[in-house]
Amino acid sequence: MSHNTFGHLFRVTTWGESHGPALGCIVDGCPPGIRFTEAGLQHWMDKRKPGQSRFVTQRREDDLVKILSGVMREDDGGLVTTGTPVSMLIENTDQRSKDYSEIAKRYRPGHADYTYDLKYGVRDYRGGGRSSARETAARVAAGGLARLVVPDVTVRAALVQIGEHRINRDNWDWAEVDSNPFFCPDPETVPVWEEYLDAIRKAGSSVGAVIEVVAENVPAGLGAPIYAKLDQDICSNLMSINAVKGVEIGNGFEAARISGEQNADEMRIGADGKPVFLSNNAGGILGGISTGQPVVARFAVKPTSSILNDRRSIDSDGNEVDVRTKGRHDPCVGIRAVPIGEAMVACALADHYLRDRGQTGRLD
Amino acid sequence: MSHNTFGHLFRVTTWGESHGPALGCIVDGCPPGIRFTEAGLQHWMDKRKPGQSRFVTQRREDDLVKILSGVMREDDGGLVTTGTPVSMLIENTDQRSKDYSEIAKRYRPGHADYTYDLKYGVRDYRGGGRSSARETAARVAAGGLARLVVPDVTVRAALVQIGEHRINRDNWDWAEVDSNPFFCPDPETVPVWEEYLDAIRKAGSSVGAVIEVVAENVPAGLGAPIYAKLDQDICSNLMSINAVKGVEIGNGFEAARISGEQNADEMRIGADGKPVFLSNNAGGILGGISTGQPVVARFAVKPTSSILNDRRSIDSDGNEVDVRTKGRHDPCVGIRAVPIGEAMVACALADHYLRDRGQTGRLD
Amino acid sequence: MSHNTFGHLFRVTTWGESHGPALGCIVDGCPPGIRFTEAGLQHWMDKRKPGQSRFVTQRREDDLVKILSGVMREDDGGLVTTGTPVSMLIENTDQRSKDYSEIAKRYRPGHADYTYDLKYGVRDYRGGGRSSARETAARVAAGGLARLVVPDVTVRAALVQIGEHRINRDNWDWAEVDSNPFFCPDPETVPVWEEYLDAIRKAGSSVGAVIEVVAENVPAGLGAPIYAKLDQDICSNLMSINAVKGVEIGNGFEAARISGEQNADEMRIGADGKPVFLSNNAGGILGGISTGQPVVARFAVKPTSSILNDRRSIDSDGNEVDVRTKGRHDPCVGIRAVPIGEAMVACALADHYLRDRGQTGRLD
Amino acid sequence: MSHNTFGHLFRVTTWGESHGPALGCIVDGCPPGIRFTEAGLQHWMDKRKPGQSRFVTQRREDDLVKILSGVMREDDGGLVTTGTPVSMLIENTDQRSKDYSEIAKRYRPGHADYTYDLKYGVRDYRGGGRSSARETAARVAAGGLARLVVPDVTVRAALVQIGEHRINRDNWDWAEVDSNPFFCPDPETVPVWEEYLDAIRKAGSSVGAVIEVVAENVPAGLGAPIYAKLDQDICSNLMSINAVKGVEIGNGFEAARISGEQNADEMRIGADGKPVFLSNNAGGILGGISTGQPVVARFAVKPTSSILNDRRSIDSDGNEVDVRTKGRHDPCVGIRAVPIGEAMVACALADHYLRDRGQTGRLD
């Protein structure tokens, strides 16, 4: 079960199970001289942590990141990277293993239970073990560092669809995203989702979602033309998130529908003498290489597999059974996927930035 | 510009430009003892090669594959792999470099011209150089071997959408796919596309497409739960194809719209005592690991950037210019992406099969 | 400063500085179903840990390994791997940073101080930071697992030379190795080294050493013919140990001196009908692939750079200075390199075993 | 049998068998804008090619390199890299397969025959197939490009020992190296080796050798402290050469014998205000990172396994047989290993240079 690592020069390796003592990651390749604070890192962790509204799992975890290596404390209390591997550890504090006793041997339809057992012959049924979305806490911590590698870059995401309800893109306001429990950029959609998701939650059901990630101030020239395309690596990173079933860049599947004339992002010379694109259908990437425009990616998250309603399944002894999941779960895992998506895009950008610019950096 | 390689144990490295003497690939990691014929390999090459209908580029290439290493000739005239790297070479015979003189310095909107020049400071404007879809001939050759690595696996693809016109899935018939110039599985859609694409072609325009790849007889248990998910690697491979802007697995973006109950693939025990899935929303992959059901992936190809109509752009001297492309091009590159998609999925499957089963194999 | 990982399928990533709170590693790719105990693992840690005799550094560390993930506790109190990443943590408890104040800005000749500062512009002068031999504790922990991956394999090492004094190979007795502070297999050499090293220690000096690692019950067929030779990977692993300046396989540099007739390991058919080698000049590896004979590697460790006697050097301000090191150090770091060498060879064997046999393994 | 690739950013993949139509390599990651000529590349090929004296194999190969991709022809007839993969092909013209008929089923002691057959179940007995030293022609071609990646670097090697006879280092004169058939830097040793090797050749025997590689003008700061040490990667590259049994850096195994005072390379500030080392025991690398001093590596090559005298062995049917090799062979393969060693060191330097400085480079 190798390959708990991603990235070529900015390499993230994660470890830990849902119900073990802790989980964490090693960020290898982070350049020296990057200044940050634990509070700054925690900001991203808090966006992802469970129990923040009735629309996500009620598991309670502080998700405080302990940094065990790779940094020095400065006089102002801040941290600076030294270029050595940054080991980060997050304790699991609210594991309720008893919740899972009924599904120890039963395969939840749509969940990794069946394939995992089939492949490895052993499975930690408590909260999904290694397949649990707990693992993504480590990604968000790594992403917190990745954001600092590319100078001035910002990576932010929003939820643009829950189940049948899409936002109205004309209302898009980034300032709204952090002021509602859905990371929704459209204030008019918030009450719609609220009512919709309450009904789903009360019915013990779940629903999918689509998340859009936008990275601004991405330097032009990141990526490579063939098998290290920037969009390919962003796509791979996003597809590695639990429950993701689709990814698109720029106008994505819509590009299949339109003409070459409509799809082409025309160019002019701006007032400052620099090239300007008149549109961004490409999502900031042409031929695998960043154009300097915002990088735009979207990904689809399927509905949570753990639901409170019976589904037909089998158990590990080969019996036909009905399965429902009694533990605490997210009616829409897509909500908490928002900061995870940001983190995974940030890691892809950091990796390609280092490939382009090299890994040495001197601490001032 | 490193990273012209993909795969971890079944590793494919491609080389060559659109207008150089040849292009090719090395397939490294192919197990010994695999029997095949040049004719069998050529079958896949022929599916992709240009000039076969008025709907694709009129460039003429035989795309005959020369195998330079890694095989022995057997008494029956067939070939058998020895386990050493298989080097395959395809000559370029029909390069008309003069067609490109007008766009030598002009950036075609939507094309890699601009970013490539920006990054490397040098660009082979003749047919796109390394960014040309010519490179994909090498992928199809590699895919021809990859298909033979996983016993009994079949990988086939079809075009399911051109521009605004989708097939009717109820009419799906694999036998139709090879009997029309679109790899269309729905006979009723063929005349629709024909008329539609003729109009686009005559208008000097282009249009996008969606391709669906289906792999059958995929052993259960391929893939890994976190950063070597089978679906992640399939999507990464598909996103590396020129002009691809979106990928999805199983019901993909549709999964965002539906409920957990609808999305779950329920299971029963079949008459033969083995587990059976009652649906395949997952596209044959759960938690990153194959279930044994058919693996289903789709990808969206944008409209060809090279069109005969003027688009506003700039040139490498910073002048505002209008650009049109006079060379031979595909009105819908999505058509020829069908065999390429098959090849890239086959390579991902071969790679994960070897990770699971190991690389040694004795020649009988 | 990427690349704190080694191995292709059995992947070890280490982290931690000499004077941080802890260090550790992630072992990724360990198959499921491997049974072991913490005591069993600690056996190897104890062989390496400091302060066990007057001939090694007097730093006191218990080097207890905490296993944070990747295992389940069994009813008999033992552990079993689950196939997920095994995260192991070792606390630093006896850091005396004050010892290093004098050399904060001074480059110890022969040490990594100068190049590290030059490259990264920041250096943890306390005990060498990331360049400290403390990092090797994590390797020994990883090696403890690696030993269990290849069935029945044993990997053991001995010191065969300290400074000018080599053992008499005719006296080789593995049983002696653990009964003296030098891991010396020749009882007659022990008092010689004792007297010799006492003098060096009292003089504040240091001396180099040669270690021989022997792996038995290595399955035939591990390795690959060109760039994944088993000997190449063993050599790479051993060269990555601090202070190592040379590696050889089998009769090594001696092979340069002798004839093809002398060097050839002749073969016969044994009484059991199986091939037998009549000698082992090859060190168990031919053409990069294991023969089934014992794998034999040797590596040379330079004398400790930190000595109590003045050497001419410069400081980070460009002043000429004299440098001596007052902290606690090993008069012969080669002694503690014995278990490290074992661990690195065990990791190489585990990696190639998995490449050959695949990574899936079912827990019984 | 994956992994015919080495390097992380400057990646070389080789292919081809001794008796196939051709062999070659892809150099992936070569920066754009590097100017060279075919004649310049051929200079290195000619150093390695067979049949140049009676002391090496009499096989005749021109070893002309055809460059199939990755370059553009300039007005002055020279070539310039474009940053895309450079595919290089070398035809095999003088294969005499009949020479090998007697050893088709017999395992030459000391050769890869036995292990190769054991692992793969198929073996190209004609000249060793993939295990043949023919493969190294591709390395020398790749090395010819690698030399141009690091500005001003020179990499040259010399033979310092044949069998029992070492050179007198006091006589070292680089100018001598290309004026004798042994790449010997000591004119007084040339006649000694001549007589010695003539006797060995006439006796149908063979003998080993030691080669020393020296790289000058290596920028300080290449390498990384833990698992991407520059010396580790140099040694790994050298160990991947056929028949190499030992490698060392700087004073190597001699470092085991001496004291910390003797081994330390003391430093002063030079007349130009820059740091100066007073010796180079370290071989230009401290803590895995280059110091700016010459990088010095040595490697031991075992005697050719193919000899004309009988050795006891077995065949693939399990019979005890005597084996001698009648084909054309090198009495001392170490001679032709000189340019190969240079190439492998050059590749390691190019790879680390790109890791340090990044991969983008604009063509002027």
Side-chain angles (χ1 to χ4, degrees), chain D residues 60-139:
Chain D
R60 297 276 167 191
E61 295 285 359
D62 282 339
D63 283 353
L64 291 175
V65 179
K66 284 189 195 174
I67 302 179
L68 298 174
S69 66
V71 298
M72 292 194 307
R73 182 76 60 187
E74 297 204 293
D75 292 342
D76 64 0
L79 296 168
V80 61
T81 60
T82 60
T84 63
V86 181
S87 177
M88 298 194 277
L89 184 146
I90 300 152
E91 289 181 1
N92 287 326
T93 56
D94 185 25
Q95 313 109 304
R96 299 194 201 159
S97 295
K98 62 182 185 305
D99 284 337
Y100 292 91
S101 53
E102 274 194 29
I103 55 160
K105 297 179 66 178
R106 294 163 177 230
Y107 301 134
R108 287 164 289 175
H111 206 280
D113 298 346
Y114 172 67
T115 50
Y116 201 102
D117 232 14
L118 185 84
K119 177 154 195 163
Y120 300 106
V122 57
R123 178 172 58 89
D124 188 344
Y125 53 84
R126 299 165 304 169
R130 183 70 182 146
S131 293
S132 164
R134 276 296 291 156
E135 185 267 347
T136 59
R139 303 179 186 217

Side-chain angles (χ1 to χ4, degrees), chain B residues 201-218:
Chain B
R201 185 173 56 86
K202 288 169 185 165
S205 184
S206 65
V207 75
V210 176
I211 294 96
E212 182 165 321
V213 189
V214 179
E216 286 166 295
N217 296 327
V218 175

Side-chain angles (χ1 to χ4, degrees), chain A residues 77-311:
Chain A
L79 296 168
V80 61
T81 59
T82 60
T84 63
V86 181
S87 178
M88 300 195 276
L89 183 146
I90 300 153
E91 290 181 359
N92 287 327
T93 56
D94 185 27
Q95 313 109 305
R96 298 193 202 160
S97 296
K98 62 181 185 303
D99 284 337
Y100 293 91
S101 52
E102 275 194 28
I103 55 160
K105 298 179 64 178
R106 294 165 177 226
Y107 301 134
R108 287 165 289 175
H111 205 281
D113 297 347
Y114 172 67
T115 49
Y116 201 103
D117 232 14
L118 185 84
K119 177 155 195 162
Y120 299 106
V122 56
R123 177 174 57 90
D124 187 344
Y125 53 83
R126 298 165 305 169
R130 183 68 181 147
S131 293
S132 164
R134 276 297 289 157
E135 186 268 347
T136 60
R139 304 179 186 217
V140 173
L145 280 180
R147 290 167 185 276
L148 305 170
V149 169
V150 188
D152 302 323
V153 80
T154 60
V155 183
R156 49 191 178 175
L159 210 58
V160 298
Q161 181 184 342
I162 292 185
E164 294 171 350
H165 300 282
R166 297 190 184 190
I167 63 159
N168 179 347
R169 299 185 71 90
D170 293 338
N171 296 336
W172 194 297
D173 180 359
W174 280 111
E176 287 293 325
V177 167
D178 287 327
S179 66
N180 65 70
F182 307 109
F183 303 112
C184 177
D186 168 14
E188 290 178 15
T189 297
V190 172
V192 178
W193 285 356
E194 207 154 14
E195 186 177 357
Y196 177 68
L197 215 50
D198 262 333
I200 283 165
R201 184 174 56 85
K202 286 170 186 164
S205 183
S206 65
V207 75
V210 176
I211 294 96
E212 181 165 321
V213 189
V214 180
E216 286 164 296
N217 297 325
V218 175
L222 305 191
I226 308 292
Y227 302 115
K229 287 183 159 83
L230 180 58
D231 34 358
Q232 177 188 7
D233 285 354
I234 286 175
C235 173
S236 176
N237 278 9
L238 293 175
M239 278 299 298
S240 77
I241 301 174
N242 315 45
V244 174
K245 298 302 284 184
V247 181
E248 45 181 30
I249 300 293
N251 60 7
F253 276 86
E254 172 67 8
R257 205 183 53 76
I258 59 178
S259 73
E261 286 80 1
Q262 292 168 303
N263 190 60
D265 297 314
E266 294 188 297
M267 300 182 76
R268 295 282 85 177
I269 299 296
D272 60 356
K274 292 183 180 164
V276 192
F277 287 93
L278 306 183
S279 56
N280 190 16
N281 291 310
I285 302 172
L286 284 173
I289 301 172
S290 62
T291 62
Q293 283 200 290
V295 169
V296 181
R298 266 180 309 283
F299 60 102
V301 177
K302 70 177 182 182
T304 321
S305 306
S306 300
I307 48 180
L308 277 67
N309 302 310
D310 277 349
R311 291 283 92 187

Side-chain angles (χ1 to χ4, degrees), chain B residues 25-327:
Chain B
C25 66
I26 299 176
V27 178
D28 189 11
C30 194
I34 292 182
R35 289 185 163 77
F36 69 107
T37 63
E38 277 117 337
L41 195 64
Q42 208 61 35
H43 170 73
W44 310 113
M45 300 303 294
D46 289 349
K47 282 189 73 169
R48 182 206 152 278
K49 81 177 177 193
Q52 302 194 103
S53 80
R54 66 184 184 276
F55 304 109
V56 297
T57 177
Q58 294 306 301
R59 179 168 175 163
R60 298 274 165 190
E61 295 286 359
D62 283 338
D63 284 353
L64 291 175
V65 179
K66 285 189 195 174
I67 302 178
L68 297 173
S69 64
V71 296
M72 293 194 307
R73 182 75 61 186
E74 297 203 293
D75 293 341
D76 64 1
L79 297 167
V80 61
T81 60
T82 60
T84 63
V86 180
S87 178
M88 299 194 276
L89 183 146
I90 300 152
E91 288 181 3
N92 287 326
T93 56
D94 185 26
Q95 312 110 306
R96 298 193 202 159
S97 295
K98 61 180 186 304
D99 283 338
Y100 293 91
S101 53
E102 275 194 28
I103 55 159
K105 297 179 66 178
R106 293 165 178 227
Y107 301 134
R108 286 165 290 175
H111 205 280
D113 298 347
Y114 173 68
T115 49
Y116 201 103
D117 233 14
L118 185 84
K119 177 154 196 163
Y120 299 107
V122 57
R123 178 172 58 88
D124 188 343
Y125 54 83
R126 299 166 303 168
R130 183 70 181 144
S131 293
S132 164
R134 276 298 290 157
E135 185 267 347
T136 59
R139 302 180 187 217
V140 173
L145 280 181
R147 290 167 186 274
L148 305 171
V149 170
V150 187
D152 302 322
V153 79
T154 60
V155 184
R156 48 191 179 174
L159 209 59
V160 297
Q161 180 183 342
I162 292 184
E164 294 172 349
H165 299 281
R166 297 190 185 190
I167 63 158
N168 178 349
R169 299 184 71 89
D170 293 337
N171 296 337
W172 193 296
D173 179 359
W174 280 111
E176 288 292 327
V177 167
D178 287 327
S179 65
N180 64 72
F182 308 109
F183 302 112
C184 178
D186 168 15
E188 290 179 15
T189 296
V190 172
V192 180
W193 285 356
E194 209 154 12
E195 186 177 0
Y196 177 67
L197 215 51
D198 261 333
I200 284 165
R201 185 173 56 86
K202 288 169 185 165
S205 184
S206 65
V207 75
V210 176
I211 294 96
E212 182 165 321
V213 189
V214 179
E216 286 166 295
N217 296 327
V218 175
L222 304 192
I226 307 294
Y227 302 115
K229 289 184 159 83
L230 179 58
D231 34 358
Q232 176 187 7
D233 285 353
I234 286 174
C235 286
S236 176
N237 278 10
L238 292 174
M239 279 297 293
S240 77
I241 301 174
N242 314 45
V244 174
K245 299 302 284 185
V247 288
E248 47 181 27
I249 298 293
N251 58 7
F253 275 85
E254 172 68 7
R257 207 183 52 77
I258 59 177
S259 72
E261 286 80 3
Q262 291 169 304
N263 190 60
D265 297 315
E266 295 187 296
M267 299 182 77
R268 294 282 86 178
I269 299 296
D272 60 355
K274 291 183 181 163
V276 192
F277 286 93
L278 306 184
S279 56
N280 190 15
N281 292 309
I285 302 172
L286 285 172
I289 300 171
S290 62
T291 63
Q293 284 199 289
V295 168
V296 180
R298 265 180 309 282
F299 61 103
V301 177
K302 70 177 182 183
T304 321
S305 307
S306 300
I307 48 182
L308 276 68
N309 302 311
D310 276 349
R311 293 281 91 189
R312 288 174 291 173
S313 187
I314 62 172
D315 68 17
S316 54
D317 295 330
N319 302 308
E320 298 191 334
V321 294
D322 283 352
V323 176
R324 65 172 70 185
T325 313
K326 290 186 181 162

